[in-house]
Amino acid sequence: MDGTHNGELSKEQPQAEPANCARKIRVAIVGTGLAGLTTAYLLQQDKQKRYHVTLFEQAEAMSLDAASVTVKNDGTGVTERIDIPPRSFCRGYYDNLCRMYDYLGMPFQPISLTWVYAKASATSRSEFDPSCYENAETIPGTYFVYGRRLHEMLLMSSHFWRSSFETILQTFYLAICHIWFFASCFLLAPRRIRPKSHSDLDFNTDDFSHYESFRQYVDRIRLPQQYLSCYLLPVLSVICSCSHAEMMDFPASDVTNFVKGSFWRKTYVNKGGINRVQSALSNQIQDVRLRARVLKVDQADGQVLIRWERPADKGRPMSEEMFDRVVLAVSPNVAAAIFDPAKSTLSMIPTAPVTSSVSAPASAKMSLVHEKGHKTSGECSYRRGDTQVMVFRTMFSADVVRSESLHFLPNGVTVRTSPSAGTDLPKGSLHSATFTRTLRTIRSRRVVNRALRKSISGDDSNCGVWTNGEDGVWITGSWCWDGLVVLEGCVISAMRVARDFGVSIPWDKGHS
């Protein structure tokens, strides 16, 4: 669905509304990740058929699956799909995501992981090559291997009891810290704190302004520093794709709610890859503009004007088109850049780059499959039945403490994800991609909740601050809710937009 048949017009020639869209409300959705495609899908399901949806995507393929790849074992001929990023989830915290998958008939499967904690020195970071280690547990700097739930290790594993005294002692220490942290998340809710001054709020005082950060929370519950730095933060910062210091600035409620929602839950991935979800959500959308970069979104004569271009078409004039409503399903920095009324609000939300790469040792005989039209083949590499190894590799330095993940797949491929841009690619790299990750802070939490308040409560008294739906423009995305920046936020924010548009949610239980 290239969309090149949709006539481009210069800004002096506004496009006429398509004949088959007469009396329909024209909605432009900028961005084709999970939030954008879920919003588009819901509007297409409108029982009254009131909406004509147009998707804008600056890349050559819809972005939900754009970075994923298919690899082939040249020795056996077997092909497997690798989702980049992996997009794992669980029932509980990802309640709306799972109910949407169930409704769409998208099967998912559990995966079993062995966690390996390793320490990296600042000098070895750039030289490290994960493809050299077919046994992930031999990675230099490994200081703990966690292969099953702690109660199973302590009560059932004869191998554990034959371990060294140091290993047994360390495991009991971790068990005690782990139990204390989880108990705190369930029993000790994050506190509301009084700001030092009115200027700390950025806006007028509201219900979302006074909750403590994760740093303040772990200090209050007296969590041991070694457990925090060497075991807890590596996992949390990998989930959120940020440095340890940035993770400590997250709202404490983000972490405690995630722990409670994911406690004792199995980890799942989509069976066959995220491309199947992308196809299910987008197959009814006829008007798709790929390689179309939106430059500006402006209000004009009661409608919303979109100015856009196709960078590949050099010398071609910028196009512009009028819509009744626009949904920005992009990161906050992009939304702030193209939509001026929200700039002062959304520019306060921090973002950071994340790099993922796929590599394989020469012995694995793996190569990329170049798929025409980005149609996938093969089964998902995050397959059921094979225990996979996830390495949390942390670089401790005076400047920054940062953890990266190394996911060793059963087919010999390693997926490396680092919370930085320009990470040195290891030998044997098959593919790499850089993403923008939205970070959370106490301040950005207030900003997001304030921007979303209008669509939640109907409260228009936002003191000049742009709110969702104002000027005919909505925001949606993994960051557009009060929680960790994960897939669940994409679905919840898309459901919120659909409700604002008067569209029912087929998988909704009546709350989000």
Side-chain angles (χ1 to χ4, degrees):
M1 293 188 294
D2 183 285
T4 54
H5 63 283
N6 297 296
E8 282 191 27
L9 300 174
S10 68
K11 57 184 178 180
E12 291 81 16
Q13 296 175 285
Q15 182 177 0
E17 186 174 279
N20 63 346
C21 295
R23 294 182 300 278
K24 285 193 174 185
I25 300 172
R26 302 197 66 216
V27 180
I29 299 177
V30 182
T32 56
L34 182 62
L37 293 184
T38 302
T39 304
Y41 177 85
L42 289 172
L43 297 186
Q44 288 294 114
Q45 303 305 306
D46 178 41
K47 295 179 181 179
Q48 301 178 47
K49 304 295 181 184
R50 290 169 291 176
Y51 301 102
H52 172 78
V53 176
T54 300
L55 292 178
F56 286 88
E57 173 55 57
Q58 67 174 354
E60 295 183 357
M62 285 185 279
S63 62
L64 179 58
D65 189 56
S68 303
V69 294
T70 296
V71 296
K72 179 181 179 181
N73 186 310
D74 296 325
T76 64
V78 174
T79 60
E80 292 183 303
R81 188 68 176 169
I82 300 177
D83 282 342
I84 306 296
R87 297 184 177 90
S88 59
F89 56 93
C90 64
R91 292 192 181 274
Y93 191 74
Y94 296 81
D95 181 49
N96 291 279
L97 176 76
C98 290
R99 285 193 281 110
M100 183 183 77
Y101 283 167
D102 289 338
Y103 176 82
L104 295 174
M106 294 288 106
F108 43 90
Q109 61 197 30
I111 59 173
S112 178
L113 294 173
T114 293
W115 288 7
V116 177
Y117 294 88
K119 180 179 179 180
S121 67
T123 56
S124 67
R125 177 179 173 83
S126 61
E127 301 169 359
F128 179 72
D129 182 0
S131 66
C132 294
Y133 301 91
E134 297 190 19
N135 182 358
E137 297 179 22
T138 65
I139 288 178
T142 296
Y143 56 87
F144 191 74
V145 178
Y146 173 38
R148 59 202 316 183
R149 289 173 178 168
L150 282 172
H151 78 283
E152 295 173 344
M153 291 178 61
L154 298 177
L155 300 178
M156 301 168 57
S157 175
S158 60
H159 174 73
F160 165 73
W161 291 108
R162 291 196 301 268
S163 302
S164 66
F165 176 75
E166 182 181 357
T167 298
I168 294 175
L169 187 63
Q170 183 182 27
T171 303
F172 273 101
Y173 166 78
L174 292 178
I176 294 171
C177 293
H178 203 57
I179 291 169
W180 171 240
F181 174 66
F182 271 73
S184 298
C185 290
F186 278 93
L187 301 176
L188 301 175
R191 285 178 176 173
R192 294 181 63 179
I193 58 177
R194 183 179 298 277
K196 295 179 180 180
S197 66
H198 182 76
S199 62
D200 291 342
L201 295 179
D202 300 313
F203 306 118
N204 284 354
T205 302
D206 59 36
D207 292 339
F208 306 101
S209 298
H210 309 289
Y211 287 97
E212 61 190 347
S213 69
F214 188 53
R215 176 180 286 102
Q216 294 168 321
Y217 183 77
V218 297
D219 286 344
R220 179 163 63 88
I221 67 173
R222 301 184 187 280
L223 199 65
Q225 185 62 41
Q226 183 190 20
Y227 171 75
L228 178 66
S229 300
C230 298
Y231 298 96
L232 183 57
L233 284 177
V235 176
L236 292 176
S237 65
V238 162
I239 291 173
C240 299
S241 304
C242 62
S243 70
H244 288 202
E246 290 167 337
M247 187 69 234
M248 294 290 277
D249 287 336
F250 271 53
S253 59
D254 285 11
V255 179
T256 57
N257 289 337
F258 177 78
V259 168
K260 291 186 289 185
S262 60
F263 181 70
W264 220 260
R265 301 281 185 169
K266 292 181 178 180
T267 300
Y268 295 95
V269 292
N270 291 100
K271 188 175 182 179
I274 199 70
N275 179 268
R276 298 185 183 184
V277 177
Q278 177 174 283
S279 297
L281 292 174
S282 64
N283 61 9
Q284 296 183 28
I285 311 299
Q286 301 299 317
D287 192 358
V288 181
R289 319 283 177 87
L290 299 179
R291 300 184 295 275
R293 184 175 66 184
V294 173
L295 303 173
K296 215 68 180 173
V297 175
D298 294 307
Q299 190 179 32
D301 299 325
Q303 291 184 298
V304 187
L305 177 68
I306 286 187
R307 295 183 175 89
W308 58 286
E309 66 176 4
R310 284 200 168 96
D313 299 337
K314 295 181 179 180
R316 198 158 183 177
M318 177 178 62
S319 301
E320 65 178 28
E321 199 165 341
M322 298 292 289
F323 292 88
D324 298 297
R325 302 174 186 178
V326 171
V327 179
L328 302 180
V330 292
S331 58
N333 58 319
V334 174
I338 65 177
F339 183 51
D340 287 340
K343 185 174 182 178
S344 60
T345 300
L346 301 185
S347 60
M348 289 187 278
I349 302 174
T351 60
V354 180
T355 301
S356 287
S357 63
V358 177
S359 61
S363 60
K365 299 180 180 179
M366 307 299 292
S367 61
L368 285 185
V369 176
H370 299 284
E371 298 152 327
K372 185 177 181 180
H374 214 69
K375 299 297 182 182
T376 64
S377 58
E379 287 300 313
C380 182
S381 285
Y382 308 103
R383 56 179 179 253
R384 182 175 187 171
D386 296 314
T387 299
Q388 300 164 33
V389 176
M390 176 72 77
V391 178
F392 300 96
R393 185 171 179 267
T394 303
M395 182 185 73
F396 296 91
S397 70
D399 298 327
V400 64
V401 180
R402 180 182 292 121
S403 296
E404 65 179 5
S405 65
L406 304 169
H407 194 164
F408 287 76
L409 302 179
N411 60 8
V413 169
T414 302
V415 179
R416 179 186 186 186
T417 303
S418 302
S420 60
T423 301
D424 293 335
L425 298 180
K427 296 177 182 178
S429 290
L430 304 173
H431 173 75
S432 68
T434 299
F435 310 92
T436 297
R437 185 70 160 176
T438 303
L439 305 178
R440 292 270 288 175
T441 65
I442 295 298
R443 185 189 192 201
S444 71
R445 180 178 187 242
R446 291 196 300 268
V447 169
V448 171
N449 287 335
R450 174 69 78 171
L452 297 177
R453 168 169 285 194
K454 181 175 182 180
S455 65
I456 296 173
S457 66
D459 180 11
D460 293 323
S461 58
N462 266 344
C463 304
V465 177
W466 180 85
T467 53
N468 206 26
E470 191 175 353
D471 303 318
V473 177
W474 279 255
I475 53 174
T476 183
S478 58
W479 55 278
C480 295
W481 75 309
D482 193 17
L484 289 184
V485 183
V486 291
L487 296 176
E488 180 71 1
C490 295
V491 179
I492 284 182
S493 59
M495 292 166 61
R496 180 184 293 115
V497 172
R499 288 196 193 94
D500 283 358
F501 285 26
V503 176
S504 61
I505 316 297
W507 59 81
D508 186 24
K509 289 182 178 178
H511 63 84
S512 68

